[in-house]
Amino acid sequence: KTENVSERFDEDSQTMDITTAALISIRQTSFSGLLSNTTTTLPPEKNEKYKAVFKQSKAKVKAWEGEFYEKYQRKPSKEEIKTAPEQIKICYKNCFKIQSYFDS
């Protein structure tokens, strides 16, 4: 079975943007799996790749939040995160999607 994983790399930081479609294809449920409530999973090397991307993205988010805190003496709000630099928004999205994948 081939997986169609959509990935985009930010050329400056090599940050991977994993789209929703990619994560859906990662945990794609087969027709028979719908009846038995089983799903296909990634090989261990793919899991390690996503864990590494998660760690890299989380480190960038924490660094940006630290800079924000130094400047404003508070954590950024959701609206401020939405207006963050594109690279930071990609990192937030990666963290959320990868964490959701591993939690499910």
Side-chain angles (χ1 to χ4, degrees):
K1 194 181 219 184
T2 29
E3 295 179 354
N4 182 13
V5 178
S6 173
E7 301 173 344
R8 181 181 61 147
F9 289 91
D10 181 332
E11 293 176 4
D12 295 332
S13 67
Q14 296 297 306
T15 301
M16 184 188 310
D17 176 18
I18 302 171
T19 64
T20 304
L23 286 175
I24 289 171
S25 71
I26 291 168
R27 299 263 330 208
Q28 187 175 26
T29 304
S30 66
F31 180 73
S32 61
L34 290 173
L35 300 175
S36 65
N37 200 20
T38 60
T39 59
T40 58
T41 58
L42 285 174
E45 59 273 2
K46 289 270 187 181
N47 279 339
E48 293 304 317
K49 178 181 177 183
Y50 288 122
K51 286 179 184 179
V53 171
F54 178 81
K55 286 181 182 181
Q56 178 187 13
S57 294
K58 188 170 182 174
K60 289 182 182 189
V61 165
K62 291 295 182 185
W64 179 78
E65 286 178 343
E67 293 170 9
F68 187 94
Y69 188 84
E70 287 178 14
K71 188 173 183 180
Y72 300 106
Q73 300 303 310
R74 60 183 174 80
K75 291 184 178 181
S77 68
K78 287 184 181 183
E79 289 301 315
E80 290 164 329
I81 292 170
K82 289 179 184 178
T83 61
E86 188 66 26
Q87 178 183 350
I88 301 303
K89 291 190 287 190
I90 290 170
C91 290
Y92 269 105
K93 187 164 83 170
N94 285 346
C95 288
F96 175 77
K97 288 181 179 183
I98 295 170
Q99 187 67 45
S100 295
Y101 166 73
F102 283 113
D103 286 347
S104 61

